[in-house]
C-alpha cells in the first residue's frame, strides 16, 4: 500500500509543470496600467476673454479624466494679475490631487513677512508623488529663467518619471540648448518617462527633433488632425507636447477647445507597462 501511494504521488508530480515553466514571465504577469495625461499652459488662469478663472480650468481637468497634469505659467503669490493666489495649492485642494511646484522665477515679496513671489510650472497627480525636483535650464543674458520639473509618480505600484517644462519663446539657439539639457537630464534612466510642456517650437525644428530622438511624440502616433494648440481662439501652430518612452503605449489624443487660456491643452491616454 505504501509503495502504491508513493508511486501515485510520483506520477502526479511528473504531470505537474515545473514552477519555472508554469509561472509567466515577470513582465507578462503585470497588467498594464491605464493612465490619462494632460499638458496645459494656463496663462496664470486668464482666458482669451481676459477673465481670471481657475475654476473653469479645474472643471476642464475634471472632465478630461486626467490622472497626471503638467501646467505651465503658474503663479504663486505673484501679483495682482492672479490676486496673489497660491495657484498650485489651489488646484491641488480643488481637485484633491498631490502636487509639486517649480518656481523658475522666485522674487522677494513687496512687503516684509509676505511669501516670495513665484512663477513657474506645476505637476498635479491623482497618484502619490514620491519625490520632486526642479533643474534650471540654460539661460541667455536677456532670457527668462526656465526649468525642468521632474516628479516620480507611483501609479498603482509602478514608478513613472513625469517631467514638465516650458522652453523659451523668443530665442531659437537658447531653446535648442535647453532641449539638449533636458535630454542630458532625462537620457540616462530606464524608468517609464513622460516629458510634457509648452516647448514653444513646431515639430520640424531642431529643438523638437532633439527631444523626439529620445522620446516619442504622442500626437504623431495617435493624434487626429494637426493638433494645433495656439492661439486658443484660432489655433494654427502645435507647440505643446506629450512625449513618452517605450514603456507607455498611447491610445488616443485630443486637443480640447476651451477659452480658459491663450493655449489649448493636450490630453492623451496610455497604457503604462
Amino acid at each position: 500500500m505504501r509503495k502504491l501511494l508513493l508511486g501515485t504521488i510520483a506520477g502526479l508530480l511528473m504531470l505537474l509543470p515545473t514552477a519555472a515553466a508554469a509561472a509567466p514571465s515577470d513582465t507578462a504577469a503585470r497588467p498594464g496600467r491605464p493612465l490619462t495625461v494632460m499638458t496645459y499652459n494656463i496663462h496664470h488662469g486668464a482666458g482669451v476673454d481676459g477673465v481670471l478663472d481657475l475654476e473653469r480650468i479645474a472643471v476642464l481637468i475634471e472632465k478630461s479624466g486626467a490622472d497626471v497634469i503638467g501646467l505651465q505659467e503658474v503663479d504663486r503669490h505673484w501679483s495682482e494679475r492672479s490676486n496673489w493666489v497660491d495657484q498650485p495649492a489651489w488646484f491641488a485642494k480643488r481637485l484633491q490631487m498631490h502636487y509639486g511646484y517649480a518656481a523658475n522665477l522666485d522674487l522677494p515679496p513687496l512687503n516684509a513677512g509676505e511669501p516670495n513671489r513665484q512663477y513657474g510650472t506645476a505637476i498635479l497627480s491623482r497618484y502619490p508623488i514620491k519625490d520632486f525636483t526642479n533643474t534650471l535650464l540654460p539661460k541667455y543674458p536677456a532670457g527668462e529663467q526656465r526649468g525642468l520639473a521632474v516628479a516620480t509618480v507611483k501609479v498603482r505600484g509602478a514608478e513613472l518619471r513625469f517631467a514638465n517644462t516650458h522652453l523659451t519663446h523668443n530665442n531659437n539657439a537658447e531653446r535648442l540648448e535647453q532641449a539638449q539639457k533636458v535630454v542630458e537630464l532625462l537620457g540616462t534612466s530606464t524608468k517609464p518617462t513622460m516629458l510634457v510642456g509648452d516647448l514653444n517650437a513646431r515639430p520640424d525644428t531642431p529643438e523638437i527633433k532633439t527631444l523626439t530622438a529620445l522620446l516619442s511624440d504622442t500626437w504623431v502616433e495617435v493624434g487626429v488632425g494637426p493638433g494645433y494648440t495656439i492661439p486658443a481662439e484660432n489655433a494654427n501652430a502645435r507647440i505643446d507636447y506629450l512625449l513618452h518612452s517605450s514603456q507607455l503605449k498611447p491610445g488616443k489624443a485630443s486637443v480640447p477647445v476651451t477659452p480658459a487660456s491663450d493655449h489649448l491643452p493636450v490630453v492623451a491616454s496610455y497604457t503604462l507597462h
Side-chain angles (χ1 to χ4, degrees), residues 194-207:
M194 286 214 63
L195 170 65
V196 311
D198 174 0
L199 304 183
N200 269 315
R202 296 172 185 257
D204 59 351
T205 58
E207 47 270 46

Side-chain angles (χ1 to χ4, degrees), residues 95-272:
L95 297 167
Q96 297 185 333
M97 288 184 168
H98 306 273
Y99 79 104
Y101 182 68
N104 294 317
L105 300 183
D106 190 3
L107 305 180
L110 297 181
N111 302 302
E114 293 179 348
N116 275 17
R117 295 176 292 136
Q118 297 178 328
Y119 173 77
T121 63
I123 294 173
L124 302 173
S125 175
R126 195 179 310 280
Y127 300 106
I129 295 176
K130 281 185 58 179
D131 55 61
F132 184 89
T133 61
N134 187 50
T135 303
L136 299 181
L137 298 177
K139 183 181 84 71
Y140 286 13
E144 177 186 303
Q145 184 63 65
R146 311 285 176 151
L148 178 71
V150 181
T152 301
V153 180
K154 202 69 176 290
V155 182
R156 296 196 300 280
E159 287 191 357
L160 170 69
R161 188 174 56 156
F162 189 89
N164 179 24
T165 194
H166 182 191
L167 302 186
T168 195
H169 68 288
N170 59 357
N171 189 310
N172 296 353
E174 182 181 14
R175 189 165 53 245
L176 178 57
E177 286 192 31
Q178 291 171 349
Q180 291 167 339
K181 183 63 176 180
V182 169
V183 168
E184 177 188 325
L185 292 168
L186 296 181
T188 58
S189 175
T190 58
K191 285 183 179 180
T193 297
M194 286 214 63
L195 170 65
V196 311
D198 174 0
L199 304 183
N200 269 315
R202 296 172 185 257
D204 59 351
T205 58
E207 47 270 46
I208 299 303
K209 290 181 178 179
T210 296
L211 296 170
T212 54
L214 175 69
L215 299 168
S216 300
D217 185 346
T218 300
W219 192 265
V220 170
E221 295 176 303
V222 297
V224 177
Y228 294 157
T229 58
I230 194 170
E233 61 269 42
N234 188 24
N236 57 26
R238 183 163 79 95
I239 65 171
D240 299 88
Y241 295 80
L242 298 171
L243 308 181
H244 66 92
S245 66
S246 60
Q247 299 94 332
L248 291 120
K249 180 178 177 58
K252 60 182 180 179
S254 64
V255 177
V257 177
T258 171
S261 170
D262 59 347
H263 285 241
L264 299 177
V266 186
V267 182
S269 60
Y270 300 86
T271 302
L272 169 61

